[in-house]
Amino acid sequence: MSDNTSSEEEKNNTQNEKEKDKQIQLEDSTDNSSSDESINQAVESIVMKPKGLEDEELEPEELGPKFKLVIRNITIRQCTTKSPKIRFTFGGNFKVVDNRHKGGKIETIGEKGKQFTTGKCEVETGGSGGVFKNEFVKYKRFKYEDLEDQELSIELITTGCCDLKTVGSAKINLQELANSHIQREVQTEIHQKGKHKITAKISFHCYFQEIWNFDLHFYQFEGRNLLSKNEQEPDPQIKLKIKSKFINFFKRDKNFQDRDCKSEHELNTKNPKWEEVGNITYRGIFSELENEDLTCEVFNHNTLKKSTKIGESLIEMRGFLDYGLLEGPLVLTSSSSVKNESTGSKEKQITKTEGGSILGLVEVNELPPHRQYGDIVILKPGRQYIGVHLIRGVNLRSADPNGFSDPFVIVEFGGFKQRTKVIYRSLDPIWEETLYFTVKVGLLTEQNIAEKGNIKVMVFDDDEAGDDFLGSCEIELKDIVNSPQGKAGSSYNKCTSRLLNERYSLVYNGEETEQKIDLKAWFQPDVPHEFKFENVKKKQTKTKLSKSFAKREGVWRQGIPENLLKEGDFEIKGADEDYCERFIPTFMFKMELPRDLRDRRAIARTVKCFTYENDEITFGGRRDVWCSPNFFLSLMKGSAEEHAALMVSMYLGLDLDAYLCQGKTKKGDEHYWVMIRENDGTITLIECSTSKEYHLEDKWKGKVEEIELDPKKRKKKKKKKKKKENENEKGNSDDEDSDELEKKKREKKKDSKKSKKIELESSGDEDEKKDEEGEEGEEEEEEEPIKDELILPYMSVEIIANHQNLWANIQGTLDPAEILYDLENKKLWHPFVDPDAGFTKAVKPFYKDCRLGPRIPEGRGKLFATRIRKEVIAGYTNFRHGKNLKTAFLKKFTPVIESGLDYYEKQELQSVTEEDEKNYKIWRGKIAEMCPQGYKFDAFTINFTYTDPTRIRNWIMDKYDFHQDESIDTVFACGAFVQGYFGRVSSVWVMLCTMTVLPKSLDEQEQDEDKDNKKGKKKNKKEKSKNNVDKKTEKGSKSNRKITIENNKSKKKDEMVPLLDDSDSSSNDELNKN
């Protein structure tokens, strides 16, 4: 009886607590959202409604696309109040306006969004932090343009007997939330006595993504070394499916439709190829699709009997949307009955056999415009994971001018990377974050796991222009399995396993430093105790080139002529970020490219968008550092050699005949660039810092007679060629003087070097201008075009290398314009790996699989553009306010400016179409039409390869002095456009515009003076002209409209100001009409 009474009392207490919470929520809320939520919870308990669907409402599509909000893994620390709860408000434009200073009242404007509150917090040791076991799923429709005005509000509240008190709050803009990291941390603050007090730090995982229809197309699949019974060739057929949850069975028109597909069968082969497999439609958010598994089943087709399974593979969908490549091992699971000798009964025994692999491509029709990053791995039963818990950093190096760093951690295992959140302005950051990695193996064996390598931990300082490297360490797998048993896992995924709890020293420039990092690592679930991982080698630092390569280098150098060795270094090795010497070809590989990156110009543009930075700055004084590709992609900045090696690797992924060139520039500096051997015998040289191409015709494939190796004989041949050219010129100059020809050549060269500047002025003399333009056009047609000589920016080329070999130039000259590029000819090029010389050492990369990061989505690019524009406006306003100058930015210009900036990016990609040209002319006409009458319009278009608003603003204000204009009538306009590329890099275009009052013409000034004299007015000439301009602009009288668009080139490598091609007369006419 006592047990029953106690249980009844507990039930009554819990019911009373629930009723109190409902009353508190009703008292605080102005709408019925909380009451509706309690009703939904009651209905759920009766009808057993599936969890996560209680808030999905049928709303009209006119309200915009549907978004899903998921909040889980809520933790709190450094809390200043007892028994805290957290209340979230999702969306809404509710505001409290205090009008008491105007004699009014406190008013509420707008509507509140959906509200939901956590339960009680499970307090951890120390009483200042804890975990909330709540998980919230909400749905709401938003228009894309409304996201900027909506917020997610987080309030820290305490509950008493009958009242509710807010002790801190924080807000996150929904547009920022939809394009930022899933792992969020906010500080709740309260305003007391004129000061802001931090009351708690709240961390949670927040998914805010659009529900999208993903149409997946699977094609070009192939099987390799499939299993077969009785050594007979099978007739393989493949079936693909994405398993759906049972709750989605009742929503067949949404999540459950078209979830599988299968191919036709191939005949008698162990290595089948299926050109087409089929389509699968998936409805959900991006993160849900990334955490799904694609089941690939291969059957031996039989028309008469049931098809037998050859193998099955579970492939994680994570990352495939960017790269379009699916790959996994096939495993055949079979069961048999085995007699137990001790009991005598039969027991079921399951065996797994590896047999071949599967490989294929997938493409998606379209992706949502907004995309979060930093996705969380959801643990699934029956899978093997490695968990790494980052606790804190200690005594980290300061990388910012303010004496602090903004540290975050990237953890890499098996070719996959994950990163933590950023802790701003700290040298002793506390992350308290757990990252999980799936151990992707067919069979769970020690050898298969060991092939994945150890766990690498890298610490960086967050920087918009490229992260700064602070240090790294390596977790050995054998250290994990040799650790004692302990309680591991996050608060939501706890387990018991051998747990490594260690403090590591960070290695920087090959040496251990005073920087430390505390972390934990474990297998979940634990691996068998017989796994020792003794053969997994730890990454070494400060190592020399291997003995075999060092010995070969000595012999190889003897084959280079002495005169060339005096001119060049002919370097074959480079030291990586860990001071390990590597053979240069090992820094290149055949990269697997994303499915949307197949254009040469797009690749060159992507590489250019990686920030250029000298090794002395990146590595604290070190020079000539060759970053490994993985490290360079994490850092997102580097010197010329990293850019060239990355571009070669990407071109090799397109099956191009690409090479890295090392030599000297015209100034004598060491430099690296890229070369492609075209099929028609042309050599294309590509400068990575500008993406500019230089074409040398007939330079390989025996298109030209073999070059003379003797430098003296080569000089004589040159003199003879020059004499012949001079004789031909004299023979063709009978009717025209040679001096005039030379003069024309010089004028043409000068015109080609000038920066393009257009001044467009509307007046009544348009017919005269057209006649002048027509006469100029006739003169140009009469002149014969003079072919400009190709001027290369390089003085010498010493070595050429790809991912397999390295060659030295032994042609008697190092001039890239004179040599031939037949690398197969040993009289011209001296190979390092040469079977004829007895050196056949295989060249292999020293790093795991390396891939580009995802592309910055459109929504995040717009967010960056808004921040940049606001920062430039704030910089101008603050400067002019300090000088007591008026600042006016015309907002109506911003959408017009930003609508046309993508044209300049297309120019860089050389992808401008006729339609783009038409739209560009219309865009220029709109700008001219919107310019106030009587004003001159100046516009400067600048390109950056980073998205740091402060740095961009400082660069603009240092370069241009528009903000120092002391005229009170000057007005400004600003626009920004961000184009995202793979690798998380971007191209930023900023257009800054000024509109100044045009001075009056002499005729207008004389007319005004005559009028003033008749009326008997005597004033200063300057005052008169100023007053007349003011009156004229106020009345809106007609005057000349002058628009000037200038484009200048920046001398910095990472900041480019491309020339604006406005020389087309039709574009001028378009503006003149307006």
Side-chain angles (χ1 to χ4, degrees), residues 246-261:
F246 178 74
I247 60 173
N248 291 329
F249 177 80
F250 301 99
K251 303 173 69 180
R252 299 180 69 88
D253 59 330
K254 292 184 180 180
N255 299 64
F256 202 73
Q257 64 178 9
D258 301 331
R259 300 300 291 270
D260 58 9
C261 61

Side-chain angles (χ1 to χ4, degrees), residues 539-552:
K539 187 176 181 180
Q540 298 179 345
T541 59
K542 288 193 171 183
T543 58
K544 295 291 184 180
L545 194 66
S546 64
K547 292 182 180 179
S548 58
F549 279 87
K551 185 178 179 180
R552 168 60 181 163

Side-chain angles (χ1 to χ4, degrees), residues 664-718:
K664 289 183 174 61
T665 63
K666 297 291 186 180
K667 295 181 179 180
D669 300 326
E670 187 180 53
H671 192 57
Y672 299 86
W673 61 96
V674 175
M675 178 190 82
I676 297 177
R677 299 199 302 180
E678 312 288 358
N679 292 330
D680 62 352
T682 301
I683 294 295
T684 302
L685 304 179
I686 305 171
E687 174 52 43
C688 303
S689 61
T690 61
S691 303
K692 188 173 181 180
E693 295 184 355
Y694 303 88
H695 302 284
L696 304 173
E697 296 180 355
D698 299 331
K699 284 294 183 179
W700 78 293
K701 281 192 170 182
K703 295 284 183 179
V704 180
E705 59 181 344
E706 199 167 288
I707 196 168
E708 180 61 57
L709 299 181
D710 189 353
K712 292 182 180 180
K713 292 181 180 180
R714 189 172 61 253
K715 286 181 180 179
K716 289 181 180 179
K717 282 189 175 182
K718 274 188 181 181

Side-chain angles (χ1 to χ4, degrees), residues 1042-1065:
K1042 186 176 182 181
I1043 297 179
T1044 304
I1045 300 178
E1046 296 184 2
N1047 297 274
N1048 302 325
K1049 281 261 184 180
S1050 169
K1051 292 182 180 179
K1052 296 185 179 181
K1053 285 185 178 179
D1054 61 338
E1055 297 163 344
M1056 184 196 62
V1057 188
L1059 294 175
L1060 179 63
D1061 189 6
D1062 289 322
S1063 57
D1064 185 25
S1065 60

Side-chain angles (χ1 to χ4, degrees), residues 235-278:
D235 300 335
Q237 181 183 32
I238 186 171
K239 182 178 181 180
L240 307 176
K241 61 181 178 181
I242 301 176
K243 293 182 179 179
S244 179
K245 296 179 181 179
F246 178 74
I247 60 173
N248 291 329
F249 177 80
F250 301 99
K251 303 173 69 180
R252 299 180 69 88
D253 59 330
K254 292 184 180 180
N255 299 64
F256 202 73
Q257 64 178 9
D258 301 331
R259 300 300 291 270
D260 58 9
C261 61
K262 63 180 179 181
S263 70
E264 300 291 334
H265 65 277
E266 298 292 319
L267 296 176
N268 301 327
T269 177
K270 291 184 180 180
N271 300 288
K273 292 184 179 181
W274 303 278
E275 189 62 29
E276 288 289 337
V277 179

Side-chain angles (χ1 to χ4, degrees), residues 330-381:
L330 287 173
V331 177
L332 180 62
T333 304
S334 58
S335 60
S336 58
S337 297
V338 179
K339 186 176 181 180
N340 192 329
E341 296 180 358
S342 58
T343 60
S345 60
K346 291 185 177 182
E347 296 180 353
K348 190 176 182 180
Q349 185 178 7
I350 298 175
T351 57
K352 292 185 177 182
T353 308
E354 266 188 318
S357 61
I358 201 75
L359 179 72
L361 300 176
V362 60
E363 62 181 6
V364 191
N365 62 335
E366 191 177 3
L367 292 175
H370 300 276
R371 177 175 169 184
Q372 292 178 296
Y373 61 96
D375 198 7
I376 311 300
V377 177
I378 298 176
L379 304 190
K380 300 175 184 177

Side-chain angles (χ1 to χ4, degrees), residues 727-738 741:
E727 289 174 359
N728 292 332
E729 287 181 2
K730 288 180 181 179
N732 295 329
S733 61
D734 295 335
D735 300 331
E736 195 168 0
D737 190 55
S738 61
L741 280 172

Side-chain angles (χ1 to χ4, degrees), residues 823-931:
L823 301 178
E824 299 78 12
N825 190 339
K826 293 183 181 180
K827 293 181 180 180
L828 306 177
W829 295 92
H830 182 36
F832 191 92
V833 179
D834 186 7
D836 295 337
F839 188 80
T840 57
K841 195 81 174 179
V843 179
K844 296 180 180 179
F846 57 92
Y847 39 85
K848 296 293 180 181
D849 294 339
C850 179
R851 292 182 178 180
L852 287 171
R855 178 165 35 197
I856 294 177
E858 180 184 349
R860 196 170 176 216
K862 290 181 179 179
L863 181 63
F864 285 152
T866 302
R867 290 176 180 173
I868 293 166
R869 185 180 68 250
K870 288 181 177 180
E871 184 66 27
V872 173
I873 293 174
Y876 267 56
T877 304
N878 293 336
F879 178 87
R880 293 177 66 82
H881 180 72
K883 301 285 186 179
N884 294 323
L885 298 173
K886 180 184 175 183
T887 307
F889 272 85
L890 299 181
K891 292 184 179 179
K892 66 178 182 179
F893 268 86
T894 299
V896 178
I897 291 172
E898 293 181 345
S899 65
L901 288 178
D902 62 332
Y903 175 83
Y904 301 118
E905 190 64 28
K906 290 179 179 179
Q907 274 190 328
E908 293 296 317
L909 294 170
Q910 296 183 2
S911 60
V912 178
T913 62
E914 292 183 2
E915 187 67 23
D916 294 329
E917 292 287 0
K918 290 179 182 178
N919 293 334
Y920 173 66
K921 294 171 186 177
I922 294 171
W923 174 67
R924 286 172 53 83
K926 286 182 180 179
I927 293 177
E929 192 176 47
M930 293 176 66
C931 181

